[in-house]
Amino acid sequence: MRLNQLGLWVLLTCFCLLSPTHAAAGAQTSANCTRTVRVGTFDQAAPYSVAAITRWVDDGGTCWTYWRQAFGLRALELLDRGDLDLAILGSTPYASSVARGAKVTAVSVLKNIAGSEGVVACEQVDRLQAMRGKIFMAPYASTAHYTLLATIVEAGIDVNEVTVLTRAPAEIVAAWDAGEIHGGACWGACIAHMLSNPRGGDIVPGHVVVDAGTVGRWNYRTFDVLAANDAFLARSPDLVGKAVDAFARASYDYEASFGTTGGWAYDGGAYLGLVQEFANLAGGSRTRDDVAAAMARDEYPTTTAQLADPIWSPTRSQAVFLFDQKALFVDPREQDQAFYEAAFDPSSLKIASTETTPLGASPRALPLATTAPLLPSPDGGCAPVGIVSLVSSVGKDAATLADGSAENRAYAPSATCLWAVAAPGTRSCVDFEVSFLSSEAPYDRLEVFDAGGTLRATYLGRSGAAQPAVRACFDDAVDDERRVATCRGLLDGSDVADPEDGSDA
């Protein structure tokens, strides 16, 4: 390819919130899958994470895929519209879904949140009242957001005296490192980072002002549920039951033997190692001790305990609180107990409970340590720059740009793919057309630039119809495509593959 034949650039940027559990993988499917179950997860360390990091629940042609979510409201959106079949939801987004009448039903209570979430602050905030005049962040309408707002209220502080900004966990970490906030409320890698690193400009790492367990004792209880899309629950109750059974068994086994014997042993326990791997999939550095401590801070109820737990009451209370804080437009006071009870389906728990030991554990065997290598094979992903050369000026020469993901798999998460499309001759033009689009707006985008780097089109969201073509023609003013890519900050100008040089395109 001659460098001065460049027609246009195509840039695919994927910042997927609907990203798979394995950081480099697409959906964890295999060739023999006849059914695929899509489960939304978080980066929290929990006993049932062993299901997400292994192929434990796969059998009979049914493959379970686990998609990492940034926060509960996003998971709820995907679950409600059917892009997820099951999802782990915090009680606050779950309460919001019930009040709004979303097509979502809780099928089990996975854990009562205690010490794994809380309000973390810098050294200047040494007591609750010191939150006045400070800036805090939390993911919107999450259990952490609820805990933060409840803390402000119970401290006797007017909510207008504290600046509360709602951001995703990764944005909270960035703001903390930059010294832009005084504290935040979150979970998983976010809270671990704040507790291990000083706020930008400080010397001392953050500390917990109050945790979710303490706020729960103030009558602001939070918990996680396993929720199902209503259509999936009606269509596949057997698969819902399988998930409930497996998650309950993992939690029971953890509670029965944590830190002492077998897979949950502090020293070399295979299951503890799997949870650590799951917690660090997005590039975290939590140690085995970090993971063990995080799990030990929460409570994992047995199936029997879940059946005896009237979660409708704290669910409704959280919905009322959200309404009072103007984070919910439906007044839950107009919805009665029966309305909230109907949003919890205990059928799978009842089946699991009747098959269990007196302590309420499901009899399902946990995966052997030998299942640890059964992780999904990652998609190849795209090269930093791919060059597409159209070889003829006669008729329509079709060329397809591929992002490296395999058939029936999602595009690679957190990836930036860049293609240089070369016009076939000095009098030629290139038409670029998107015939089908399935992306997560506004987090992912497909951008088309002309040879000089001018943005010609941006594609977002989903569409089953072909989009209007974008035309760009030969530009003899561009003598090196590296200039455009380098200006975009996408590469250092040295790693463009040129087919005429014998390298791979």
Side-chain angles (χ1 to χ4, degrees), residues 2-43:
R2 289 182 172 82
L3 296 179
N4 65 353
Q5 290 181 349
L6 188 66
L8 54 79
W9 286 94
V10 181
L11 173 66
L12 171 66
T13 308
C14 309
F15 301 108
C16 319
L17 289 188
L18 180 63
S19 57
T21 289
H22 199 282
Q28 302 174 25
T29 56
S30 60
N32 61 348
C33 296
T34 57
R35 291 191 297 181
T36 299
V37 182
R38 302 158 300 173
V39 185
T41 67
F42 296 95
D43 69 347

Side-chain angles (χ1 to χ4, degrees), residues 441-501:
Y443 310 103
D444 311 325
R445 62 187 181 272
L446 180 66
E447 298 173 315
V448 181
F449 301 84
D450 64 22
T454 301
L455 180 64
R456 299 292 300 275
T458 299
Y459 300 90
L460 297 169
R462 300 171 180 229
S463 174
Q467 305 297 305
V470 176
R471 171 163 290 193
C473 299
F474 168 81
D475 185 351
D476 60 6
V478 178
D479 60 358
D480 191 343
E481 71 268 24
R482 293 171 179 80
R483 177 173 66 82
V484 180
T486 305
C487 288
R488 294 286 298 167
L490 297 171
L491 49 118
D492 61 11
S494 64
D495 51 358
V496 177
D498 191 335
E500 289 198 355
D501 292 337

